[in-house]
Amino acid sequence: MSSKPDRGPRRRAYLFDERRESLALRRIAEIGLLLHGATRLDDVLRAVLVTATARQGAGMNRAYLLLGDEEGRILRGEMAVGPSNAEEANQIWNALHESGPSLTEMAEAYRNSVGRRDVRANELVRRLTVPLDDTADILVQVYRLGTTMVADASSPIPSEAQRVAAVLGVREFAVVPVLARKGSLGVLVADNLITRRAFSKRGVELLELLACQAGLAIENARLQETLAQKVDELGRAYEALREEQEKLVRAERLSAVGEMAVRVAHEVRNPLVSIGGFTRRLLVEMPEKDPRSEYLRIIRDEVARLEQIVGGVLDYVRPPVSAVGMTDINAVVRTSLDLLSTQCDQAEVKVSLCCDETVPFIAADEARLRQAVLNLCRNAIQAMPDGGRLEVSTLPDRDWVLIRIEDTGVGIASDQIERIFAPFYTTRSQGTGLGLAITSQVVEAHGGRVEAESERGVGSRFTIRLPLKEQVS
Amino acid sequence: MKKILVVDDEAHVRRLYTEELKDEGYEVVAAGTGDEALRAFDRERPDLVVLDIRLPDCDGLDVLNEMLSRRRDAHVVLNSAYPAFRADFHSWGADAYVVKSSDLRELKRTIGAVLSLEGASPGR
Ligand SMILES: Nc1ncnc2c1ncn2[C@@H]1O[C@H](COP(=O)(O)OP(=O)(O)O)[C@@H](O)[C@H]1O
Ligand SMILES: [Mg+2]
């Protein structure tokens, strides 16, 4: 800038313009910087619009942003900045003028002075919304062609500009495309409602630059969104994989350790029968008062205890005598309960059975399935040491058959419910922790799953969910 | 005197069962494999068979099937370590199922019941 006083006013105006332009360019560069920060898309777009309207920027009165929707059907008014009358305009412009030179300071000043006053502009921008097949409209033309159009006051309003002119209440306005690598994203519209100043070529070029920044910002944000989505998908896929793997590990552990336990139990069972059996024979022959009979009674009782433990393990398994046939689920449930009737009576557990007779037969290994149901019923009874209610029901559920076992027992703590299916997880002193593990293994072999719900002190509900059409593995 | 065939792969268990059942007044023969069991079954024509399901040379259930096909009215009490089988013995055609235990009272009770159903009381 020159300080020489002899330069004419024309020259000075030119200088002023130049200075304004360089400031505007700085704003644009700042927007570029914003793009690289973690700024929200909304903030960047608002900064673009503020720069378009700031005197230090492109100097337009009002600016509107419209974006094409994803399906390419509509150009929708998204956001606008601008005063609704001269008084408001002065307030805003003064605030901006006094603000610091940085964009952030400017945007801040704008927000403070405007508050919620640019409602009118935002209402207008919504009314600018136009379907993208309305090719006679100037906004659609700019969007489709990707070139700037200016309606100026010197000529009669062309037909394609009439709608926009009517909405905005001005004869003069500029429409520039918001471009990205893959084509148009939307349009930026600006008018000079308050000052009624004509658009300069430079001003329109600045608008184009701003629109370009907006395009980048939007593209950036969409890429980030896609990326976030992909990361999310990946996360879910990973989660699913981990679950599968956990299931595998569980099954593996069960078949390795569980089979081992079962084999040991089986091997130990026979020697225990001999040890305990012969001890009993000795006891019968021993005179009552012989002090050695005390030793024999200890052996007999310890053997009985061991047999109980071993029996507990074997209780849950059935050597693989597998036979798949068309199976009546209701019959499976009924026999299971028959087998437990003495246990229920002893524990003062009331049993109610509710079979849905429309449940179809399914291809299944009846004995293994009965074992699964038995295990769940046994757990339910054990959860009600002081008596209660055991409700067993069957019901069809679209492509599934459900077997539901509900009790009014002690329930399961919510932080434990994930663990109960793990082999050897048990909270009972006589427990083996194999019941649920084997149950879910059997049910999964039928293509189904076991679901557990429970509330501490209220009761538990286990649901076996079996698919109607599934080959048993 | 009623004759009982005890089939179990473990010698000590066979001996225990034999002695205990003899004390109950039965005549007892024992076999350790499926093959032996079937030969004894034909030769001795026992009134009742106590059969373990797991045998070294074959599945006890095959032995059961074979016996029933040779004599439809044969009485068989299954005896094994697996409580889960309790639910199945009927469909297999056995008369009863008793879980193996060092306490033989339940086995003896069951044998007595099966044989008395046949119309004869266990000898003593
Ligand atoms: N119906 C139920 N009510 C309350 N707790 C249950 C129920 N079913 C299972 N559980 C819990 O899950 C554990 C594991 O059950 P399970 O695998 O059958 O092994 P076990 O019965 O030998 O303990 C039990 O020890 C118990 O804590
Ligand atoms: Mg259990």
Side-chain angles (χ1 to χ4, degrees):
Chain A
M1 263 179 299
S2 169
S3 55
K4 284 186 183 164
D6 56 333
R7 303 211 181 234
R10 179 116 193 76
R11 176 73 182 142
R12 207 176 302 186
Y14 173 74
L15 271 178
F16 177 72
D17 263 3
E18 199 174 57
R19 182 170 157 263
R20 200 171 73 178
E21 218 169 89
S22 78
L23 270 173
L25 287 173
R26 241 176 60 201
R27 292 293 97 79
I28 290 169
E30 277 183 60
I31 292 175
L33 282 178
L34 274 184
L35 285 182
H36 294 287
T39 320
R40 284 175 46 235
L41 176 62
D42 259 20
D43 290 339
V44 178
L45 294 181
R46 194 167 302 283
V48 164
L49 293 181
V50 168
T51 308
T53 57
R55 214 173 334 187
Q56 304 100 308
M60 308 294 178
N61 288 175
R62 302 184 298 186
Y64 315 85
L65 180 70
L66 293 91
L67 296 176
D69 68 348
E70 292 208 343
E71 295 86 35
R73 273 202 297 254
I74 194 168
L75 194 55
R76 181 179 289 121
E78 291 286 344
M79 190 186 277
V81 155
S84 41
N85 54 45
E87 191 196 336
E88 214 179 284
N90 272 325
Q91 277 176 14
I92 294 173
W93 289 335
N94 286 336
L96 287 184
H97 194 66
E98 282 154 21
S99 79
S102 90
L103 181 65
T104 339
E105 285 167 310
M106 234 169 66
E108 180 73 7
Y110 178 83
R111 237 195 314 270
N112 290 342
S113 70
V114 169
R116 302 238 10 104
R117 260 185 299 187
D118 57 350
V119 259
R120 168 97 184 121
N122 275 294
E123 185 192 310
L124 291 181
V125 77
R126 275 193 293 278
R127 274 165 53 196
L128 286 179
T129 297
V130 58
L132 277 168
D133 56 10
D134 186 356
T135 49
D137 191 89
I138 189 168
L139 300 186
V140 175
Q141 286 174 3
V142 170
Y143 178 86
R144 288 197 181 281
L145 300 175
T147 55
T148 299
M149 291 189 185
V150 178
D152 63 56
S154 54
S155 51
I157 305 176
S159 66
E160 70 266 21
Q162 270 165 9
R163 184 187 74 94
V164 175
V167 170
L168 298 181
V170 293
R171 291 175 57 87
E172 230 180 350
F173 59 88
V175 186
V176 301
V178 174
L179 294 172
R181 258 164 300 180
K182 280 193 212 136
S184 277
L185 295 176
V187 298
L188 185 62
V189 183
D191 69 23
N192 279 338
L193 173 78
I194 315 290
T195 57
R196 302 275 168 186
R197 221 174 33 198
F199 288 111
S200 70
K201 189 162 168 288
R202 293 310 248 167
V204 173
E205 276 170 11
L206 278 175
L207 266 190
E208 283 173 339
L209 261 172
L210 283 167
C212 190
Q213 295 288 28
L216 276 175
I218 294 163
E219 197 168 51
N220 224 9
R222 287 189 182 160
L223 276 176
Q224 271 180 27
E225 203 173 290
T226 321
L227 201 67
Q229 254 170 28
K230 287 267 180 280
V231 168
D232 214 45
E233 271 169 36
L234 216 62
R236 271 199 300 270
Y238 173 74
E239 198 51 40
L241 204 69
R242 225 196 47 192
E243 252 171 50
E244 265 322 296
Q245 201 194 6
E246 255 169 31
K247 242 197 238 168
L248 268 178
V249 169
R250 251 194 343 203
E252 191 102 321
R253 250 194 6 209
L254 177 63
S255 49
V257 187
E259 264 168 28
M260 182 68 167
V262 167
R263 208 165 36 238
V264 169
H266 181 80
E267 291 309 318
V268 164
R269 186 94 207 194
N270 279 331
L272 284 179
V273 169
S274 320
I275 297 170
F278 284 118
T279 305
R280 282 167 199 270
R281 279 184 76 73
L282 277 178
L283 253 177
V284 172
E285 284 161 20
M286 189 83 64
E288 188 89 42
K289 281 175 223 91
D290 192 316
R292 283 172 301 176
S293 64
E294 180 60 25
Y295 304 156
L296 292 176
R297 269 194 290 276
I298 292 174
I299 298 176
R300 180 196 63 191
D301 294 345
E302 288 297 325
V303 166
R305 200 166 68 87
L306 285 175
E307 282 186 308
Q308 245 199 353
I309 294 171
V310 167
V313 172
L314 296 177
D315 215 5
Y316 290 108
V317 292
R318 197 174 172 290
V321 182
S322 157
V324 176
M326 287 319 278
T327 302
D328 180 358
I329 297 297
N330 289 335
V332 167
V333 169
R334 276 190 207 105
T335 33
S336 303
L337 285 178
D338 282 348
L339 286 166
L340 292 172
S341 60
T342 350
Q343 244 173 290
C344 288
D345 290 346
Q346 277 166 7
E348 295 192 4
V349 168
K350 278 216 187 74
V351 181
S352 76
L353 174 62
C354 178
C355 287
D356 184 311
E357 295 305 331
T358 67
V359 165
F361 282 37
I362 63 170
D365 181 334
E366 181 171 346
R368 279 163 81 199
L369 215 52
R370 187 172 46 227
Q371 186 189 342
V373 174
L374 266 172
N375 289 353
L376 293 183
C377 293
R378 235 186 321 242
N379 282 349
I381 297 166
Q382 283 158 355
M384 301 182 283
D386 306 319
R389 244 183 118 64
L390 170 62
E391 275 179 41
V392 182
S393 50
T394 61
L395 50 148
D397 179 23
R398 270 181 251 168
D399 297 337
W400 302 85
V401 175
L402 310 189
I403 306 172
R404 191 157 273 170
I405 290 117
E406 288 171 83
D407 64 61
T408 57
V410 293
I412 303 159
S414 54
D415 59 336
Q416 296 298 305
I417 201 147
E418 293 294 323
R419 304 176 52 198
I420 57 174
F421 290 98
F424 308 111
Y425 172 81
T426 180
T427 57
R428 298 187 300 110
S429 57
Q430 298 290 316
T432 60
L434 286 173
L436 289 176
I438 287 169
T439 296
S440 60
Q441 198 188 38
V442 167
V443 173
E444 275 162 25
H446 284 81
R449 58 177 186 270
V450 186
E451 295 157 355
E453 303 153 75
S454 185
E455 196 176 327
R456 201 109 181 94
V458 177
S460 311
R461 171 202 273 180
F462 284 79
T463 307
I464 295 179
R465 188 175 272 277
L466 294 166
L468 289 182
K469 299 184 231 13
E470 174 78 24
Q471 282 312 301
V472 184
S473 57
Chain B
M1 210 193 287
K2 295 283 175 185
K3 194 189 278 183
I4 296 176
L5 169 61
V6 171
V7 186
D8 199 296
D9 62 326
E10 198 128 336
H12 296 314
V13 174
R14 285 201 299 275
R15 173 143 176 224
L16 174 71
Y17 280 25
T18 305
E19 291 186 12
E20 285 279 317
L21 292 176
K22 274 185 177 158
D23 285 357
E24 294 291 307
Y26 300 109
E27 186 185 344
V28 184
V29 285
T33 65
D35 193 44
E36 267 176 51
L38 287 173
R39 272 187 282 133
F41 182 76
D42 288 341
R43 191 181 60 237
E44 306 283 345
R45 299 193 64 80
D47 297 287
L48 185 143
V49 182
V50 176
L51 178 64
D52 189 359
I53 290 177
R54 280 229 172 151
L55 293 174
D57 57 340
C58 63
D59 193 331
L61 292 182
D62 294 338
V63 177
L64 171 65
N65 271 333
E66 196 52 40
M67 287 176 175
L68 290 176
S69 71
R70 290 179 193 190
R71 268 168 51 196
R72 281 211 58 81
D73 59 342
H75 292 294
V76 180
V77 173
L78 292 174
N79 188 223
S80 100
Y82 294 90
F85 278 136
R86 243 177 328 213
D88 304 302
F89 72 87
H90 253 318
S91 60
W92 294 337
D95 292 85
Y97 185 89
V98 176
V99 180
K100 248 188 192 176
S101 160
S102 62
D103 184 349
L104 293 184
R105 282 176 297 185
E106 193 193 342
L107 181 65
K108 290 177 195 163
R109 240 192 335 264
T110 307
I111 291 171
V114 171
L115 288 177
S116 69
L117 266 185
E118 216 211 354
S121 61
R124 179 155 263 250

